[in-house]
Amino acid sequence: MPGRRFNQGLHQALEAKEKVKVQRESRTLATITYQNFFKQYKKLSGMTGTALTEAEEFEQIYELEVMQIPTNEDIIRVDNNDMVYFNQDAKWKAVVDYIKFYHQMGLPILIGTSSIQTSELVSGILNKMTLPHYVLNAKFHEQEANIVKNAGKKSSIVVATNMA
Amino acid sequence: MEFVASNYAQWMQRMNNEKKAISAIVYSSREFELTIDAMEKVFGISNEQIRKAEQQKLAFTKGTIKISFNSSKKTKEDPFAEILIEPTSELSHKAELIEKNFYYGLFILGTEKHDSRRIDNQLRGRAGRQ
């Protein structure tokens, strides 16, 4: 992009590799936080499915009110409470039990993890159970569209990282 | 969804054959009807008969079925009905009870909490129509 340069020598290294003229580092003259940047706008609004838990933050930082728009039809999703285990072993044993039962019943399963390491741990567990599954952790970009397309089908298992 | 119901019913039959008692929880009337329809086929019980299990314990070849509705259901997390199947036991000891939620649709399992509740809610939200 014109006018944009990587810093700390990265851009120069790329320039040298690509055999173009090595230019000097650009200097940052001013920075602004997203919060303060957004506050420059006279009119500010947004829409998201997950703003309600952060309503306090919107109020404090942006002086914005959060409004919940009711769904067209009643929510049928069953949201269960958290299950807490004494140790990791007990937790993963329970995870295995859940997956085994509902996979056997033919339900599609989505397993959420919060790091690539955990997603790989879960994948290892599933491999041990010889259950075919897909891992979505932003490591395999080309395959992702295909994985998402097939998620939700009978007995499919997808392991996802929350940021992916 | 019918194949899921059929799998649940077959599982019930298997557990019943293994002399285990089953408590199955369903969360909506539609899912209850699906489950009952599949049970009729697998257990070979007529619709009229199985409806009797809503009033009293219904005896079938290998045990009893009892259906109890939750009259105080308020939220979608409250059970709609419980289907209890107990095996016939020659001995006086109580059969091992296996409790299961009979879910239909995408099953989401969050293995750990994220620092932000927003992200946890995003994961919950992956479950189709909400």
Side-chain angles (χ1 to χ4, degrees), chain B residues 12-129:
Chain B
M12 285 173 145
Q13 194 184 39
R14 221 161 41 240
M15 291 299 113
N16 180 249
N17 285 340
E18 290 173 20
K19 298 274 176 203
K20 282 166 185 153
I22 313 138
S23 161
I25 307 291
V26 286
Y27 287 86
S28 71
S29 63
R30 185 166 163 255
E31 291 167 352
F32 172 75
E33 294 303 331
L34 272 168
T35 313
I36 290 295
D37 285 351
M39 282 174 68
E40 285 167 26
K41 290 197 191 90
V42 171
F43 285 84
I45 304 171
S46 73
N47 188 278
E48 280 162 34
Q49 266 184 305
I50 208 154
R51 296 289 161 192
K52 283 181 192 147
E54 294 169 13
Q55 273 90 44
Q56 60 192 50
K57 269 190 185 178
L58 169 81
F60 69 108
T61 44
K62 283 178 173 170
T64 57
I65 303 175
K66 176 86 186 82
I67 295 167
S68 8
F69 293 104
N70 177 14
S71 54
S72 59
K73 180 176 167 77
K74 284 191 186 75
T75 71
K76 55 197 165 55
E77 282 75 30
D78 294 330
F80 173 80
E82 183 204 25
I83 304 164
L84 181 71
I85 305 182
E86 287 173 312
T88 30
S89 60
E90 306 81 36
L91 303 158
S92 57
H93 72 84
K94 257 214 168 299
E96 181 193 343
L97 180 71
I98 303 175
E99 292 173 22
K100 288 283 181 197
N101 289 318
F102 279 12
Y103 295 128
Y104 289 79
L106 181 66
F107 182 73
I108 297 182
L109 188 63
T111 55
E112 49 200 357
K113 285 257 162 189
H114 196 273
D115 293 337
S116 148
R117 272 178 299 170
R118 281 190 57 235
I119 307 297
D120 290 332
N121 286 341
Q122 264 178 13
L123 183 65
R124 288 179 189 274
R126 301 290 181 220
R129 188 174 83 72

Side-chain angles (χ1 to χ4, degrees), chain A residues 33-80:
Chain A
T33 60
Y34 272 122
Q35 282 82 354
N36 283 325
F37 176 69
F38 287 138
K39 279 169 85 172
Q40 305 289 313
Y41 285 96
K42 285 196 181 72
K43 269 190 185 169
L44 188 60
S45 70
M47 192 159 73
T48 164
T50 52
L52 205 63
T53 50
E54 262 51 53
E56 203 181 317
E57 195 179 323
F58 282 112
E59 170 71 48
Q60 275 172 8
I61 297 170
Y62 304 106
E63 289 160 51
L64 285 178
E65 192 189 337
V66 174
M67 241 184 71
Q68 187 176 24
I69 299 172
T71 51
N72 182 31
E73 290 193 45
D74 288 342
I75 297 171
I76 53 171
R77 184 185 67 225
V78 176
D79 284 314
N80 283 330

Side-chain angles (χ1 to χ4, degrees), chain B residues 1-13:
Chain B
M1 286 301 101
E2 280 76 14
F3 70 87
V4 176
S6 168
N7 285 340
Y8 279 137
Q10 281 165 32
W11 176 82
M12 285 173 145
Q13 194 184 39

